[in-house]
Amino acid sequence: MLQNRPQRIAKAVRKQSIEVKENWEQLKTRASIWQKQVKKVLEKLQELQKAMDDVEAHVITAEGARTDWQPVGDLLIDSLQGHIDKTTLSWSKSVFLRMRRLSDILPLL
């Protein structure tokens, strides 16, 4: 009976050792998957930051161009609609391109 006890203890220790090894492997696998997801999110956030930096640069450029505009009172009424159309078209294109780029990036986050 005394010999059975050490054998039972050894068997129980071996069983727990196998469980610990299996749990360790599962933990390593999950940690690896998590690390890959974190890396992907970081890359997407970096892309988003670059897109936002680009938008900021365009806004600064647009604000600079706006300061060069003639006051509305100095424009001829006949050319006013042309100035409005030119400004609206330029601004719309810029905003559309930036928003399209952001919409391409955001779903990936």
Side-chain angles (χ1 to χ4, degrees):
M1 187 111 169
L2 289 176
Q3 274 184 322
N4 267 346
R5 186 165 187 244
Q7 289 172 348
R8 283 184 284 152
I9 292 172
K11 184 178 178 181
V13 168
R14 280 192 299 273
K15 182 179 176 186
Q16 288 181 348
S17 173
I18 290 169
E19 288 176 13
V20 167
K21 183 179 179 186
E22 289 171 354
N23 288 340
W24 178 251
E25 292 302 320
Q26 289 175 0
L27 178 63
K28 287 184 354 184
T29 300
R30 283 181 278 183
S32 176
I33 291 168
W34 179 254
Q35 181 64 34
K36 288 175 187 174
Q37 290 175 338
V38 167
K39 184 178 178 182
K40 285 180 184 179
V41 169
L42 176 62
E43 289 170 358
K44 297 304 174 189
L45 286 172
Q46 288 170 336
E47 289 177 27
L48 177 60
Q49 181 65 49
K50 180 168 181 354
M52 300 217 24
D53 290 345
D54 291 346
V55 168
E56 179 185 20
H58 285 288
V59 167
I60 290 170
T61 301
E63 287 174 346
R66 186 183 65 176
T67 61
D68 295 337
W69 291 346
Q70 291 178 318
V72 174
D74 294 349
L75 296 175
L76 297 174
I77 292 237
D78 294 340
S79 66
L80 188 57
Q81 189 60 47
H83 286 285
I84 292 171
D85 292 344
K86 181 179 174 185
T87 302
T88 304
L89 181 62
S90 175
W91 180 254
S92 297
K93 283 181 184 178
S94 177
V95 169
F96 173 75
L97 293 174
R98 298 299 163 234
M99 294 306 289
R100 192 172 84 192
R101 183 169 180 202
L102 284 174
S103 68
D104 289 343
I105 293 170
L106 289 177
L108 302 175
L109 293 178

